[in-house]
Amino acid sequence: MESVHHVSTSSKILFGKVRKMVPPMLEKFHKGQLGRVAVIGGCADYTGAPYFSAIASAKLGCDMSHVLCERSAAPVVKGYSPNLMVHPILPSTDSVKDPKSINASELAGPIISMLSRLHSLVIGPGLGRDGVTLKVVAEVIKEARSRSIPFVLDADGLLIVTEDPDLVKGYKECILTPNVVEFGRLAKALGINVKSQADVAGDGDKTSKESEACEQLSRALGGVTILQKGPHDVISNGVTSIISDIKGGLKRSGGQGDTLTGSLGTMLAWRAAYHDKLWDSGEKDNETEAQNKEDVQAELESEGRRMSSSTTLLLAAWAGSCITRECSRRAFEAKGRSMQASDLTDEVHPSFLRLIGEPEGSKTHL
Ligand SMILES: NC(=O)C1=CN([C@@H]2O[C@H](COP(=O)(O)OP(=O)(O)OC[C@H]3O[C@@H](n4cnc5c(N)ncnc54)[C@H](O)[C@@H]3O)[C@@H](O)[C@H]2O)[C@@H](O)CC1
Ligand SMILES: Nc1ncnc2c1ncn2[C@@H]1O[C@H](COP(=O)(O)OP(=O)(O)OP(=O)(O)O)[C@@H](O)[C@H]1O
Ligand SMILES: [Mg+2]
């Protein structure tokens, strides 16, 4: 039995639609137009996660990749790559005078003042759990939402939502990327019952059963898009779901989720450029917003009609997942059990070319 919510469009058609959302390489574009992405994360404990995320956004093809991190993490992240712009503006208990009486919105000021220059945010990689930091980031989330800036929430960023789901409830411009453990925490906070492996293995469609909880969680959050990572990734906005099941690698080293969030950051920036009509996609205008699976599927399968924002959000999430899994497959093929997160970084561009390819009109040679 096929789930009533799952899009059944073939991967080939979906990749063709993703390509429509990718800005072509044109001489007329100036620096920044192909995407300004910022990762908010990086603390004394974790410097790899924000680096892997930001470098993935850069390697996928955004023009500018920023990391907004805690003071002590900044020189380390800068040392990994001169390509990233690293700003030590994320406050923590160590950097404020009196951690017990802070003005979080004031402390968030330097980050908030950067928002108008950014197309998308990735909030959470290596953020840590410092109380001051999490309060400040909650203020940034509120402000980004009020300005309709799209963002990805991952890792410790999801903890903020677990504690205060209203921060994102009903926001249609974000993607949550929980792993199994993070999904369980979110589900518990919102009173969703997650099926055990034994329940899932019983009669009926396994994929539908597995994705049921993702759909329920998305509905409990008012239609927020969730990308539930696992043996296959389930993407749902509560009404429509897409499964990403292209082959990944077999090594589960830490940090692969960071390639995912960085890729999503760039996909969200490109999606914004697509909706802003930065280039002529050659498609006819479409004034209606897809409301359900049938509408989404019709937009995905129609030739020459622009996609609406709910369709492009699902598609951007699906594309980020497919690129990451392909990176992991290729890196695993090359490195076997020695594979590390940094091996995925080198595979981002080859994976993009293999799965999506340059859009029509792109000038890749001079
Ligand atoms: N190189 C780095 O700097 C890295 C930093 N990371 C950061 O580390 C922090 C904590 O992230 P964690 O993911 O460890 O979160 P948690 O601290 O919540 O730990 C989750 C735990 O669950 C376990 N787990 C994962 N998948 C599971 C599954 N399918 N079934 C059962 N157990 C499972 C993991 O081994 C891990 O110990 C975050 O800030 C994150 O961004 C990670 O992204 C890994 C790489
Ligand atoms: N069992 C699996 N089989 C195939 N791919 C998987 C499996 N589990 C996770 N993945 C893939 O690995 C990537 C990262 O997912 P994972 O569950 O490891 O996230 P994470 O724990 O948040 O990672 P990180 O260590 O970066 O925090 C995703 O693209 C996901 O599709
Ligand atoms: Mg993670």
Side-chain angles (χ1 to χ4, degrees):
M1 185 190 72
E2 188 186 290
S3 159
V4 289
H5 302 294
H6 291 170
V7 166
S8 57
T9 308
S10 74
S11 299
K12 187 164 180 271
I13 291 176
L14 293 178
F15 283 126
K17 282 298 194 189
V18 175
R19 203 179 309 121
K20 283 280 174 200
M21 241 189 338
V22 177
M25 308 293 298
L26 302 178
E27 271 160 356
K28 68 175 184 178
F29 289 149
H30 66 70
K31 182 174 75 177
Q33 282 186 298
L34 294 203
R36 293 187 292 263
V37 180
V39 174
I40 303 182
C43 62
D45 284 345
Y46 309 117
T47 55
Y51 162 76
F52 291 132
S53 181
I55 200 74
S57 72
K59 296 261 180 180
L60 186 54
C62 75
D63 280 344
M64 300 170 89
S65 295
H66 299 265
V67 175
L68 318 187
C69 61
E70 202 267 319
R71 204 167 49 191
S72 65
V76 184
V77 180
K78 281 181 209 274
Y80 296 147
S81 169
N83 297 309
L84 306 177
M85 284 156 287
V86 185
H87 313 267
I89 55 175
L90 192 57
S92 70
T93 299
D94 289 342
S95 67
V96 295
K97 270 202 201 104
D98 181 5
K100 290 209 181 80
S101 68
I102 57 160
N103 180 337
S105 71
E106 201 173 288
L107 286 174
I111 299 179
I112 287 172
S113 69
M114 287 186 72
L115 292 182
S116 61
R117 287 181 277 144
L118 298 169
H119 295 119
S120 66
L121 305 173
V122 176
I123 303 172
L127 189 64
R129 295 180 182 177
D130 180 88
V132 170
T133 303
L134 296 185
K135 282 195 188 97
V136 170
V137 174
E139 292 302 316
V140 176
I141 292 174
K142 279 184 209 158
E143 190 61 32
R145 179 178 180 165
S146 78
R147 300 184 193 196
S148 299
I149 297 173
F151 55 77
V152 178
L153 273 173
D154 186 43
D156 306 310
L158 292 171
L159 205 63
I160 302 174
V161 174
T162 304
E163 278 163 18
D164 184 3
D166 285 341
L167 278 175
V168 297
K169 213 174 254 180
Y171 186 45
K172 297 290 165 58
E173 290 292 313
C174 71
I175 303 172
L176 272 49
T177 55
N179 63 19
V180 172
V181 178
E182 291 153 349
F183 188 90
R185 282 190 207 119
L186 275 167
K188 192 168 169 215
L190 285 139
I192 312 284
N193 185 24
V194 181
K195 280 194 163 64
S196 70
Q197 283 303 311
D199 291 338
V200 169
D203 291 338
D205 179 3
K206 189 166 175 280
T207 307
S208 292
K209 284 188 188 169
E210 280 177 332
S211 56
E212 225 172 76
C214 184
E215 288 162 9
Q216 282 177 24
L217 181 60
S218 170
R219 283 197 288 274
L221 285 170
V224 162
T225 296
I226 315 245
L227 191 165
Q228 180 186 14
K229 296 174 287 192
H232 50 241
D233 295 347
V234 181
I235 298 146
S236 181
N237 64 15
V239 180
T240 308
S241 306
I242 309 189
I243 304 291
S244 161
D245 56 2
I246 82 159
K247 209 172 161 147
L250 293 177
K251 176 78 187 292
R252 306 275 165 258
S253 53
Q256 298 186 59
D258 303 317
T259 294
L260 173 69
T261 56
S263 303
L264 292 173
T266 291
M267 289 307 311
L268 288 180
W270 287 349
R271 168 179 172 266
Y274 170 81
H275 288 298
D276 289 346
K277 299 190 178 168
L278 178 67
W279 73 98
D280 180 9
S281 70
E283 298 166 302
K284 280 201 223 82
D285 279 350
N286 168 19
E287 301 303 329
T288 53
E289 185 64 38
Q291 303 290 342
N292 51 38
K293 182 194 99 169
E294 285 70 27
D295 293 351
V296 169
Q297 200 149 315
E299 285 186 7
L300 291 170
E301 291 175 9
S302 93
E303 272 184 45
R305 187 155 65 99
R306 289 187 78 85
M307 296 172 280
S308 63
S309 62
S310 46
T311 301
T312 54
L313 192 61
L314 288 166
L315 197 58
W318 183 81
S321 164
C322 292
I323 289 167
T324 306
R325 294 170 72 92
E326 173 70 1
C327 287
S328 173
R329 184 191 69 77
R330 296 168 80 97
F332 180 69
E333 218 162 76
K335 300 286 172 78
R337 66 173 67 232
S338 80
M339 187 193 99
Q340 299 296 307
S342 52
D343 297 318
L344 269 68
T345 303
D346 297 332
E347 301 293 348
V348 172
H349 184 56
S351 299
F352 165 82
L353 289 180
R354 178 172 181 269
L355 297 179
I356 300 167
E358 284 297 340
E360 222 174 282
S362 231
K363 280 190 83 172
T364 48
H365 298 288
L366 295 176

